[in-house]
Amino acid sequence: MKNQSEQAVGGRLLYSRGHLPRLGINLSNSTMLRLEAAGQFPKRVRIGAHSVAWLASEIHEHIAKLAAEREQGQ
């Protein structure tokens, strides 16, 4: 199993809500919650009482999966 530093993407382990639009993910919070519950978007990680983030590696895997599905014509 890879350790956390090996899993870091671009030196970042977590993406906050503000990072997601820079990656092309412009979804509302309610849409992300619905997709997370359906298993169609990575689940958020609670990092504080009122703060959440997503694992960078899972976000990049999700984007790669969407690209692969596009290539397969789905």
Side-chain angles (χ1 to χ4, degrees), residues 1-66:
M1 184 175 188
K2 294 181 180 180
N3 66 34
Q4 287 181 341
S5 63
E6 291 174 332
Q7 291 177 346
V9 178
R12 182 175 296 282
L13 288 175
L14 298 172
Y15 284 131
S16 69
R17 183 82 170 103
H19 291 110
L20 297 180
R22 288 180 240 154
L23 298 169
I25 300 172
N26 294 308
L27 302 172
S28 70
N29 191 48
S30 59
T31 298
M32 285 196 303
L33 284 169
R34 189 172 39 254
L35 291 173
E36 287 175 29
Q40 298 174 350
F41 192 80
K43 294 203 182 274
R44 58 191 70 204
V45 176
R46 184 153 301 278
I47 58 174
H50 303 285
S51 300
V52 297
W54 291 263
L55 293 174
S57 59
E58 291 180 0
I59 292 295
H60 285 277
E61 288 172 15
H62 175 70
I63 294 169
K65 178 184 168 199
L66 292 174

